[in-house]
C-alpha cells in the first residue's frame, strides 16, 4: 500500500514531527520482490524504517519510506544434538514480543536483550546489544531482498560482517537490502549470562537465576535508567561507547582514576560515553526542549517540541566538550536523516 505525505511523529521514537513524501508498507516477501523488480514505480531515494528507534530526522523526508510489516514467528528446526532450536521471525515483528515469546517457550540467548525498542528487521542491521550480549551471537542467517532488482539474498552470520553496533547492512551495503526474516539459534537448556554485575544483583533480588527472572531483571534495570519512548522522546544511547588504543585509556586512567574502562580486542579498550558526558556536566542539562537524560547521560531526549536540528546541535555541543576535556571523539549511534 502506497501513502502520501505521512506525518512521521508516530514513526520515530524521538517523536519528531516531520513529513515523509511517500510510504510503502511491505507486508510479505512477495510484495517486496514485485516492488523492487520494477513492476511498480516509486520515488527514490528510499529509507527503510523499522520502529524509528535509532533515527534522528532533521527535516522532512523527500522520497519513499519502506516500512516492512512482515510478521510471523516460527520454530524452523531442532538441531541434531538437541541443544538448540532455530527460530525465525519476520522483519516486522516487535523485538520485545519476540524475546517474550522465546522466554515463555524456555528458549535462551536473547533474554538480556529484553525491552530494547525496535523490530526484528533492525536487529542484524544494528547488532543490538545490552548486558553482555550482542544479537550477532545468536543470528544464524538473514533473509533479504535486493532493493535494486528484487533478487533474494541470504546472508550467513559471517557475511553480515558484525561488529559493535554495526554490520554490512549499516555500513558497506547500506540501504541496498531489505531484511525480510531473521533466523536465530536459541538454547533449549540456556546458560544464563549474568556477567554484568548489576544485572546479577537485580536477578538475585528477584529470586532464583532463571530465564524469566533474567528477563524481568533486565526490564527493571532498563525501566529505572532509560526513559520510555512512549512517554518521553528518545532513541536509547545517542552515541557509541568509544573504543580507543590501550595507551590512550591508560593515560586517561592516570588523569581520571575512577574512569570506567572495559576490555576490548587486543590492544584496545572501550570507554563509557555516559561517564564522559556526565563528567563534562551535561547530565540533566537542557537546551529548550532538547535535553540530556538525568539518569543516563548517553540518552538525549525530546521534552516535547524539540526539532531534530536542536537535538543534533545539542549532540554537537556535547561532542565538542567531550573532545575538549578528554580528547575523545564521540561517534553517534543514532542515524541522522535529513538536512542539517
Ligand atoms: N555512566 C555514568 N554516567 C551516566 C551513564 C553511565 O557515569 O550518565 C557510567 C556507568 O556508571 C557505568 C558506565 O558508564 O560505569 C556504563 O554505563 P551503563 O552500564 O549504563 O551502560 P552504557 O555503556 O551507558 C551500554 C549500551 C546500552 C545498554 C547498556 C547495558 C552502548 C552505546 N550503549 O550503555 O545500549 O543498554 O550498555 O548493557 O553501547 C542502546 O544502544 O541504545 C543502549 C541503550
Amino acid at each position: 500500500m502506497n501513502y502520501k505525505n505521512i506525518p512521521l511523529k508516530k514513526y520515530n521514537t524521538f517523536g519528531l514531527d516531520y513529513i515523509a513524501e511517500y510510504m510503502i508498507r511491505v507486508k510479505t516477501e512477495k510484495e517486496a520482490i514485485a516492488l523492487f523488480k520494477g513492476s511498480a514505480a516509486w520515488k527514490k531515494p528510499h529509507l527503510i524504517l523499522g520502529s524509528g528507534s535509532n533515527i534522528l530526522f532533521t527535516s522532512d523526508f523527500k522520497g519513499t519510506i519502506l516500512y516492512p510489516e512482515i510478521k510471523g514467528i516460527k520454530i524452523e528446526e531442532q538441531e541434531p544434538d538437541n541443544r538448540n532450536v532455530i527460530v525465525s521471525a519476520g522483519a516486522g515483528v516487535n523485538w520485545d514480543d519476540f524475546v517474550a515469546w522465546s522466554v515463555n517457550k524456555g528458549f535462551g540467548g536473547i533474554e538480556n536483550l529484553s525491552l530494547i525498542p525496535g523490530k526484528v528487521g533492525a536487529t542484524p542491521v544494528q547488532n543490538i546489544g545490552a548486558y553482555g550480549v550482542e544479537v550477532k551471537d545468536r543470528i544464524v542467517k538473514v533473509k533479504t531482498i535486493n532493493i535494486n532488482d528484487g533478487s533474494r539474498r541470504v546472508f550467513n552470520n559471517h557475511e553480515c560482517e558484525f561488529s559493535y553496533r554495526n554490520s554490512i547492512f549499516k555500513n558497506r551495503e547500506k540501504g541496498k537490502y531489505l531484511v525480510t526474516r531473521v533466523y536465530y539459534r536459541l538454547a533449549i537448556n540456556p546458560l544464563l549470562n549474568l556477567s554484568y554485575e548489576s544485572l546479577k544483583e537485580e536477578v538475585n533480588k528477584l529470586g532464583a537465576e532463571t530465564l524469566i527472572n533474567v528477563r524481568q531483571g533486565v526490564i527493571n534495570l532498563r525501566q529505572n535508567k532509560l526513559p520510555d519512548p512512549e512517554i518521553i522522546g528518545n532513541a536509547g544511547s545517542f552515541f557509541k561507547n568509544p573504543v580507543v588504543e590501550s595507551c590512550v585509556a591508560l593515560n586517561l586512567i592516570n588523569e581520571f582514576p575512577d574512569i570506567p574502562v572495559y576490555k576490548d580486542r587486543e590492544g584496545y579498550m572501550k570507554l563509557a560515553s555516559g561517564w564522559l558526558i556526565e563528567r563534562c556536566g551535561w547530565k540533566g542539562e537542557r537546551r529548550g526542549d532538547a535535553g540530556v537524560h538525568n539518569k543516563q547521560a548517553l540518552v538525549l531526549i525530546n521534552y516535547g517540541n524539540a526539532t531534530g536540528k536542536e537535538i543534533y546541535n545539542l549532540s554537537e555541543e556535547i561532542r565538542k566538550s567531550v573532545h575538549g576535556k578528554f580528547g575523545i571523539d564521540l561517534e553517534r549511534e543514532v542515524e541522522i536523516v535529513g538536512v542539517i
Side-chain angles (χ1 to χ4, degrees):
M1 196 57 135
N2 204 334
Y3 299 87
K4 210 174 169 201
N5 294 331
I6 306 294
L8 288 173
K9 200 173 168 73
K10 275 196 319 205
Y11 292 95
N12 71 103
T13 57
F14 266 117
L16 296 164
D17 214 357
Y18 294 107
I19 303 279
E21 201 174 0
Y22 293 98
M23 178 181 279
I24 301 178
R25 292 172 175 270
V26 182
K27 290 205 162 56
T28 62
E29 201 184 46
K30 266 194 188 152
E31 263 182 42
I33 293 171
L35 180 69
F36 304 139
K37 276 220 154 98
S39 47
W42 54 281
K43 188 170 175 204
K44 317 283 188 313
H46 71 274
L47 171 73
I48 304 168
L49 193 66
S51 54
S53 55
N54 204 48
I55 228 166
L56 180 74
F57 286 107
T58 53
S59 56
D60 291 343
F61 186 73
K62 305 268 177 231
T64 303
I65 292 204
L66 300 172
Y67 190 72
E69 290 188 313
I70 300 164
K71 296 283 193 230
I73 300 176
K74 203 167 144 202
I75 301 176
E76 300 282 346
E77 60 178 293
Q78 182 153 335
E79 289 192 323
D81 61 7
N82 288 333
R83 288 163 68 170
N84 296 295
V85 282
I86 307 295
V87 176
S88 80
V93 171
N94 173 282
W95 171 253
D96 194 53
D97 290 348
F98 178 56
V99 178
W101 177 93
S102 89
V103 168
N104 286 335
K105 288 261 184 257
F107 300 152
I110 52 174
E111 58 283 357
N112 293 40
L113 307 179
S114 291
L115 215 63
I116 293 184
K119 293 193 178 161
V120 162
T123 62
V125 179
Q126 266 276 87
N127 181 22
I128 58 168
Y131 309 109
V133 172
E134 283 185 318
V135 79
K136 74 171 171 54
D137 303 332
R138 292 289 158 186
I139 290 179
V140 179
K141 62 181 181 184
V142 179
K143 277 193 175 173
T144 71
I145 312 285
N146 186 323
I147 287 173
N148 296 322
D149 60 12
S151 60
R152 294 174 203 257
R153 179 163 171 196
V154 179
F155 289 77
N156 66 28
N157 181 292
H158 177 72
E159 289 167 330
C160 292
E161 298 178 8
F162 289 124
S163 60
Y164 169 57
R165 295 292 193 279
N166 209 349
S167 73
I168 191 167
F169 308 111
K170 201 179 164 184
N171 202 2
R172 217 153 51 76
E173 301 280 27
K174 187 165 183 261
K176 189 165 164 194
Y177 296 95
L178 182 93
V179 173
T180 53
R181 184 159 280 275
V182 186
Y183 292 69
Y184 304 87
R185 176 177 287 112
L186 301 176
I188 295 170
N189 294 308
L191 256 186
L192 305 178
N193 182 335
L194 296 174
S195 58
Y196 193 94
E197 203 46 47
S198 49
L199 176 57
K200 193 175 171 60
E201 282 166 23
E202 193 63 37
V203 170
N204 292 338
K205 268 194 249 164
L206 292 168
E209 294 182 356
T210 61
L211 208 50
I212 289 176
N213 282 347
V214 174
R215 170 164 167 79
Q216 192 56 50
V218 169
I219 291 174
N220 294 352
L221 287 185
R222 292 188 74 95
Q223 286 180 337
N224 276 336
K225 260 199 173 175
L226 299 169
D228 178 354
E230 293 286 326
I231 299 165
I232 190 141
N234 77 91
S237 302
F238 196 90
F239 300 99
K240 292 185 187 181
N241 283 331
V243 175
V244 298
E245 286 183 31
S246 300
C247 57
V248 174
L250 292 174
N251 284 338
L252 286 169
I253 294 171
N254 272 336
E255 205 177 335
F256 307 96
D258 56 336
I259 188 171
V261 291
Y262 307 95
K263 267 200 222 137
D264 203 77
R265 61 188 195 274
E266 183 72 31
Y268 290 84
M269 285 177 144
K270 198 185 263 181
L271 307 175
S273 293
W275 187 92
L276 300 172
I277 296 168
E278 180 175 349
R279 272 304 179 97
C280 290
W282 283 104
K283 207 172 191 172
E285 279 297 299
R286 259 179 102 143
R287 295 280 183 274
D289 264 3
V292 180
H293 189 46
N294 60 5
K295 290 190 190 145
Q296 165 51 292
L298 194 45
V299 178
L300 301 192
I301 54 188
N302 175 9
Y303 279 102
N305 293 312
T307 63
K309 277 189 195 144
E310 284 166 342
I311 295 170
Y312 176 83
N313 290 342
L314 173 62
S315 77
E316 277 296 281
E317 264 196 81
I318 293 171
R319 289 184 68 227
K320 282 196 190 110
S321 74
V322 167
H323 185 85
K325 188 169 171 78
F326 299 104
I328 299 291
D329 285 321
L330 293 187
E331 192 189 327
R332 287 182 193 84
E333 185 190 308
V334 165
E335 193 188 344
I336 311 290
V337 176
V339 183
I340 295 167

